[in-house]
């Protein structure tokens, strides 16, 4: 069973350097090559199809669930960005959800469109509903 830890009320500040379990919220090579971001992209990849298929009003729930998954890991993952003087700070929950939503939307056009039968659509809708109930 996964232990649910309460999210931090105040984001951490003055983080000296990213840890392997952190998600770096900047563009470029640093975030592309960071182990925490690699793991984050793997988590996002597993949820992309669900995100693409679900109604708009459920999309934020999926992104928030991914953020909470990262934050509830042991050791706890943080969404961080670089500020002045080379120091890092933890971003807000809103910013972390935005980052996750953006990652879920990236390359959505890569998945080929295909016609589904009514049975396939109904089966997929039931899967989506069951998954959303688990959040």
């Amino acid at each position: 069973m996964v232990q649910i830890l309460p999210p931090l009320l105040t984001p951490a500040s003055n983080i000296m350097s990213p840890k392997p379990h952190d998600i770096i919220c900047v563009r470029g090579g640093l975030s592309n090559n960071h182990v925490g971001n690699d793991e984050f992209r793997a988590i996002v990849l597993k949820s992309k199809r669900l995100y693409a298929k679900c109604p708009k009003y459920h999309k934020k729930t999926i992104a928030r669930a991914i953020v909470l998954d990262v934050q509830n890991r042991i050791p706890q993952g943080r969404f961080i960005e670089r500020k002045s003087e080379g120091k890092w700070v933890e971003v807000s929950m809103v910013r972390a959800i935005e980052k996750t939503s953006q990652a879920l939307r990236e390359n959505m056009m890569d998945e080929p469109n295909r016609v589904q039968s009514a049975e396939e659509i109904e089966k997929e809708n039931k899967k989506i509903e069951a998954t959303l109930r688990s959040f």
Side-chain angles (χ1 to χ4, degrees):
M1 176 176 252
V2 176
Q3 178 186 9
I4 305 291
L5 301 174
L8 297 174
L9 298 176
T10 306
S13 60
N14 297 330
I15 300 165
M16 295 309 287
S17 64
K19 304 290 184 218
H21 47 275
D22 290 333
I23 312 307
I24 299 175
C25 300
V26 298
R27 294 185 177 263
L30 183 61
S31 64
N32 290 339
N33 299 319
H34 183 66
V35 67
N37 288 60
D38 289 340
E39 292 173 6
F40 173 70
R41 283 190 291 274
I43 295 168
V44 166
L45 185 61
K46 292 177 186 175
S47 299
K48 274 191 175 208
R49 186 167 191 165
L50 172 65
Y51 186 85
K53 298 282 184 181
C54 77
K56 185 176 181 177
Y57 55 89
H58 285 305
K59 292 184 185 294
K60 189 173 182 179
T61 302
I62 293 168
R64 187 173 192 280
I66 292 171
V67 171
L68 291 173
D69 180 48
V70 169
Q71 292 176 336
N72 289 329
R73 291 177 176 227
I74 298 174
Q76 186 176 27
R78 302 170 295 184
F79 288 78
I80 61 173
E81 62 185 12
R82 189 189 312 248
K83 290 296 181 185
S84 61
E85 302 172 17
K87 296 201 176 174
W88 296 83
V89 296
E90 189 170 359
V91 302
S92 68
M93 174 64 94
V94 171
R95 174 76 175 98
I97 291 171
E98 287 171 357
K99 162 89 174 160
T100 304
S101 295
Q102 177 186 4
L104 286 161
R105 288 190 304 270
E106 284 179 356
N107 304 321
M108 285 182 78
M109 299 307 291
D110 290 350
E111 190 171 310
N113 292 328
R114 68 177 188 86
V115 177
Q116 290 180 303
S117 69
E119 293 85 18
E120 288 176 315
I121 292 170
E122 187 171 337
K123 185 177 179 181
E124 196 155 311
N125 285 342
K126 285 181 181 180
K127 273 179 147 177
I128 290 170
E129 289 172 10
T131 302
L132 291 172
R133 276 194 299 271
S134 72
F135 294 137

